[in-house]
Amino acid sequence: MFKENFEKLIKIKEILKKILKDEKSIDNLFKILENPQRIIKVYLPLKRENDDLEIFEGYRVQHNNFLGPYKGGIRYFPKVDEDEVKTLAFLMTIKTALIGLPLGGAKGGIKVDPKNLTEKELEELSREYVRKIYDFIGPDKDIPAPDVNTNSKIMDWMVDEYIKLTRIATNDKNKNGDENRLKATFTGKSIENGGSEGREEATGKGGEIILESLIKKLNLQKPLTVAIQGFGNVGYNLAKFLYEKGYKIVALSDSKGGIYSEQGFNPELVMECKKEKGIISGCYCVGSVCDSRLGKDITNEEILELEVDILVPAAIENVIHKENAHKVKAKIILEMANNPLTEEADEILNQKGVIIVPDILANSGGVTVSYFEMLQNLNNERWSKEKVFSELEKYLTRAFEEVWEIKNNYNLSLREASFVLALKRIYEGFKNN
Ligand code: NAD
């Protein structure tokens, strides 16, 4: 997985050589990036509540820190393995560089199905993971965050364990002195515990900012129609922000299926209805009313093939592949999920002239606000949601403008241009190292 992902960068490497006219250094940089700087593998003993001892495998892969401390989430998933964590850590190196954050890339994980653990066991396992990787993390070393199946509660346990260990290590009796600085070791914490306003909605908000920038460049007039697959944190928040900006959200779906209405849904009402009924089916909420005559149910395959201006895969990976790519009728694809297109699908859609906004750009709002959380902790500040979103807009529109320029100058896709920009920044970090 890591190897295949890396090998895809051959074309980018050649473009960089042309732009930077420094063949030797680019070759050297690619040699370095082909391996993470550090792979930490840990075995975590957990005493289960029935008194059995179980050992869980965990990882922290620190891919690259030429631009700053490592940054990346921790996932709890039965299929976590070294190769997957390595691939995700590499993508974090690219993502943080692309947005221009002074951070590198990392990822972590524990091979576990958290549904099989009690809350007490989950807490103990999370604390044990921190005890094992303690020496390698910290605000100027590596800053973990939540990912699949981890959340603010788990980050709160982790940061608490980190602070405890630091107190012991430094014999520190002054409990208040550098508390905030230590808290900056983890992001995605609860608001009460130093988390940032707006983090919950940040990825959706980032998607809106990037899409708005693109629409302006293309001179497209609203209302534009949008279909969103996935109505979780990312899909729901994006839908809500786009609705507020005058887009027409004609289709929405979750894992059980989707809904369609020509008139466009009100996402907040759809969410209320879904919560009440337990499923999205039949939640045809338009304007201020929900009515069975206002829409129809569709499948998760159909949602991808609708005649819409913008298609947003916001659920899982590889949903558009070589079998269904030619059926996609949207003009723009905004990749909010990670890796929603297979390589073959990407090629087919590029040839068809579909504009694809790559995941590393479209869904980077989350990591950007994570960086703001870290800044707030380090500077003893608390930003309002307005300030968080206005800073987010600055970072993301700047990255978008730079990608757009590279795309036009070198006749590249937005994905290729995003990789070129990220690697150009990492090259600069490499030269200064
Ligand atoms: P989530 O668990 O909150 O929501 C996922 C949604 O997708 C749910 O509505 C679920 O029902 C739906 N879904 C699951 N399987 C599906 C299927 N086969 N077909 C259609 N819908 C399906 O997750 P999320 O946080 O919204 O993340 C969504 C995607 O965005 C993931 O790929 C994630 O890696 C990516 N992402 C999330 C963030 C973030 O900050 N949350 C940041 C970057 C990338």
Side-chain angles (χ1 to χ4, degrees):
M1 192 180 178
F2 179 77
K3 208 165 178 299
E4 290 87 66
N5 263 284
F6 198 80
E7 280 165 2
K8 279 192 241 160
L9 296 181
I10 299 282
K11 182 176 172 194
I12 307 292
K13 187 173 168 183
E14 294 316 310
I15 298 166
L16 277 167
K17 284 182 179 176
K18 264 193 225 152
I19 299 177
L20 300 166
K21 301 185 177 55
D22 186 359
E23 229 169 272
K24 184 107 186 120
S25 299
I26 303 284
D27 280 334
N28 288 343
L29 175 65
F30 272 69
K31 273 186 204 160
I32 292 171
L33 296 178
E34 201 166 347
N35 294 294
Q37 291 173 329
R38 185 183 282 127
I39 298 176
I40 305 158
K41 183 170 183 181
V42 293
Y43 291 94
L44 311 166
L46 175 72
K47 189 98 168 273
R48 301 293 302 264
E49 287 190 24
N50 64 7
D51 228 25
D52 283 353
L53 187 82
E54 226 177 293
I55 311 288
F56 292 89
E57 219 172 275
Y59 297 89
R60 184 72 185 165
V61 173
Q62 298 177 327
H63 180 263
N64 189 275
N65 66 353
F66 288 167
L67 294 175
Y70 306 103
K71 177 101 194 83
I74 297 169
R75 57 175 55 185
Y76 288 178
F77 201 64
K79 284 196 190 131
V80 161
D81 63 30
E82 188 178 307
D83 192 46
E84 183 196 56
V85 184
K86 257 165 79 172
T87 311
L88 295 166
F90 164 66
L91 285 175
M92 286 306 295
T93 299
I94 298 293
K95 206 186 258 191
T96 51
L98 170 63
I99 307 307
L101 305 176
L103 295 169
K107 205 80 179 191
I110 303 180
K111 199 176 169 67
V112 60
D113 186 349
K115 284 191 222 87
N116 296 336
L117 300 184
T118 64
E119 174 149 325
K120 220 172 127 219
E121 290 168 341
L122 193 62
E123 176 173 351
E124 186 42 36
L125 186 67
S126 305
R127 288 182 182 274
E128 180 63 16
Y129 179 73
V130 174
R131 293 194 280 270
K132 288 284 185 336
I133 64 167
Y134 174 78
D135 285 339
F136 302 98
I137 57 175
D140 42 17
K141 291 185 195 164
D142 182 355
I143 305 110
D147 197 74
V148 176
N149 290 332
T150 51
N151 52 26
S152 58
K153 190 188 243 179
I154 294 179
M155 293 306 112
D156 286 355
W157 291 331
M158 288 190 170
V159 89
D160 181 65
E161 190 62 30
Y162 181 80
I163 292 173
K164 253 194 226 163
L165 293 170
T166 307
R167 300 279 176 238
I168 295 167
T170 57
N171 268 330
D172 187 359
K173 300 275 179 309
N174 171 11
K175 288 219 171 352
N176 296 317
D178 55 356
E179 181 106 357
N180 272 350
R181 192 186 145 66
L182 296 180
K183 279 191 177 170
T185 304
F186 289 84
T187 60
K189 304 178 290 293
S190 65
I191 300 269
E192 310 80 65
N193 195 31
S196 178
E197 292 290 344
R199 173 61 189 90
E200 195 69 23
E201 299 144 280
T203 306
K205 184 71 190 172
E208 176 228 293
I209 294 168
I210 295 288
L211 184 62
E212 284 278 284
S213 306
L214 177 70
I215 299 308
K216 269 188 218 132
K217 292 282 180 214
L218 299 175
N219 236 330
L220 296 177
Q221 302 305 318
K222 289 181 201 162
L224 295 161
T225 53
V226 185
I228 304 180
Q229 186 192 56
F231 200 49
N233 172 298
V234 175
Y236 166 66
N237 281 303
L238 177 75
K240 198 182 67 180
F241 289 124
L242 293 185
Y243 179 70
E244 284 164 11
K245 286 266 157 134
Y247 292 78
K248 211 175 190 191
I249 315 296
V250 294
L252 290 166
S253 78
D254 65 18
S255 60
K256 299 200 187 79
I259 52 174
Y260 175 85
S261 171
E262 223 176 66
Q263 298 167 62
F265 294 115
N266 175 343
E268 278 184 86
L269 278 194
V270 173
M271 183 53 96
E272 270 174 39
C273 166
K274 183 188 151 160
K275 276 189 185 149
E276 235 167 70
K277 291 181 32 166
I279 47 170
I280 202 169
S281 162
C283 287
Y284 314 137
C285 307
V286 173
S288 57
V289 288
C290 301
D291 187 319
S292 64
R293 288 163 301 182
L294 293 173
K296 61 173 185 178
D297 281 1
I298 55 169
T299 65
N300 260 311
E301 287 76 46
E302 286 167 337
I303 198 168
L304 301 172
E305 300 165 14
L306 289 173
E307 191 103 33
V308 286
D309 297 306
I310 301 146
L311 173 63
V312 187
I316 52 167
E317 66 286 337
N318 298 335
V319 289
I320 306 178
H321 39 74
K322 67 174 188 294
E323 271 80 39
N324 63 0
H326 59 278
K327 296 188 196 152
V328 169
K329 297 178 196 73
K331 300 177 191 74
I332 296 170
I333 295 180
L334 183 71
E335 290 188 343
M336 295 305 290
N338 286 318
N339 274 324
L341 271 59
T342 63
E343 221 183 320
E344 288 102 336
D346 193 48
E347 217 165 280
I348 296 170
L349 291 163
N350 268 312
Q351 272 165 14
K352 271 177 67 170
V354 177
I355 298 176
I356 302 164
V357 187
D359 46 7
I360 46 172
L361 184 62
N363 70 25
S364 57
V367 67
T368 309
V369 173
S370 270
Y371 168 60
F372 298 160
E373 176 176 336
M374 179 187 155
L375 282 186
Q376 291 171 70
N377 295 155
L378 291 176
N379 300 328
N380 272 314
E381 289 176 2
R382 276 211 166 269
W383 299 359
S384 65
K385 197 190 277 191
E386 288 68 37
K387 165 139 170 132
V388 169
F389 284 174
S390 102
E391 287 297 310
L392 182 63
E393 188 154 6
K394 272 190 221 158
Y395 276 77
L396 296 196
T397 46
R398 190 188 58 198
F400 181 86
E401 288 296 330
E402 288 176 84
V403 168
W404 191 257
E405 201 184 320
I406 293 175
K407 166 194 143 53
N408 287 341
N409 287 352
Y410 301 97
N411 195 19
L412 302 173
S413 68
L414 282 171
R415 192 186 311 280
E416 290 163 342
S418 299
F419 271 97
V420 167
L421 175 59
L423 285 157
K424 194 166 157 273
R425 295 206 219 272
I426 298 167
Y427 162 84
E428 280 148 20
F430 171 54
K431 294 296 276 184
N432 294 333
N433 239 279

